[in-house]
Amino acid sequence: RQRQKAIGQLMALVGRSDAPDSLKVALPLALKETLDARGTFAAKVVDEAERLLKEHSTTLKQAIATAKATAAERQEEVARAEALAKEAAEARDAAQESCIAKENEWLEAEEVLAGLRRQLAGFPEEGARFENEVEVAKASLEALRGAAAKFQLLVSPLPPPQPAAEEEPVAAAVAADVVLSDAADKG
């Protein structure tokens, strides 16, 4: 019974290999015979099956090694792709942050510009108000100069009167005008 089970497992392996159909048919019959009872044909069938199974085993080992190498290459490609994806994500995040910062700067500049426009709109009214204040100040200055000249006349002594001739009242008036105009020029 165990022999039949072992023959079944061996036939499953031979079935997966690229063994010819004639070998697949002859092998179970050759394996059922005992080692001493096997003839030359049966021995050749068993030897050929063993050779094919060793070849199949070597092929499978090579396929496994190739698959492992391919898997390692794919893992390296995946690692490189993940690194590139990470760099791209970091670059995207940096670009987004820069964009947001620039948009904030833009908004601040627009607010400053709007404030300047509001101030500029009020300049004609402010200019007219300042011109009125300047005119009032000029008028006050002129009034103050006039008052200073009058004060200067009151404070400064008049020249002593001279004995009279007919021309002296005119000379005294001219002298008084000269003193007044000198005092006005100094003030």
Side-chain angles (χ1 to χ4, degrees), residues 92-113:
R92 180 204 61 220
D93 292 345
Q96 282 180 336
E97 289 177 18
S98 175
C99 183
I100 290 170
K102 295 299 179 189
E103 285 178 355
N104 288 341
E105 288 177 20
W106 180 269
L107 288 174
E108 289 173 8
E110 282 186 345
E111 289 176 9
V112 168
L113 182 61

Side-chain angles (χ1 to χ4, degrees), residues 4-27:
Q4 280 301 99
K5 189 175 181 182
I7 290 172
Q9 289 174 346
L10 187 60
M11 288 309 297
L13 289 174
V14 171
R16 290 184 204 145
S17 72
D18 56 351
D21 290 338
S22 59
L23 183 64
K24 291 177 185 178
V25 171
L27 185 60

Side-chain angles (χ1 to χ4, degrees), residues 40-57:
T40 314
F41 180 74
K44 290 269 184 198
V45 168
V46 170
D47 288 344
E48 185 63 19
E50 185 178 352
R51 186 189 67 75
L52 282 173
L53 285 175
K54 284 182 181 178
E55 261 183 36
H56 185 65
S57 174

Side-chain angles (χ1 to χ4, degrees), residues 40-151:
T40 314
F41 180 74
K44 290 269 184 198
V45 168
V46 170
D47 288 344
E48 185 63 19
E50 185 178 352
R51 186 189 67 75
L52 282 173
L53 285 175
K54 284 182 181 178
E55 261 183 36
H56 185 65
S57 174
T58 303
T59 303
L60 288 177
K61 286 178 184 176
Q62 289 174 346
I64 289 170
T66 302
K68 285 182 179 179
T70 302
E73 289 174 8
R74 295 289 194 280
Q75 285 290 3
E76 289 175 8
E77 289 174 8
V78 166
R80 282 192 298 271
E82 286 175 346
L84 288 174
K86 183 179 177 183
E87 288 177 18
E90 290 172 354
R92 180 204 61 220
D93 292 345
Q96 282 180 336
E97 289 177 18
S98 175
C99 183
I100 290 170
K102 295 299 179 189
E103 285 178 355
N104 288 341
E105 288 177 20
W106 180 269
L107 288 174
E108 289 173 8
E110 282 186 345
E111 289 176 9
V112 168
L113 182 61
L116 290 173
R117 284 184 179 151
R118 284 190 299 272
Q119 287 178 356
L120 188 59
F123 279 158
E125 297 167 3
E126 289 289 316
R129 185 175 61 87
F130 288 139
E131 285 179 19
N132 287 339
E133 288 179 12
V134 166
E135 291 301 320
V136 168
K138 282 182 181 179
S140 296
L141 179 63
E142 288 301 318
L144 184 62
R145 281 186 180 164
K150 288 180 184 175
F151 179 74

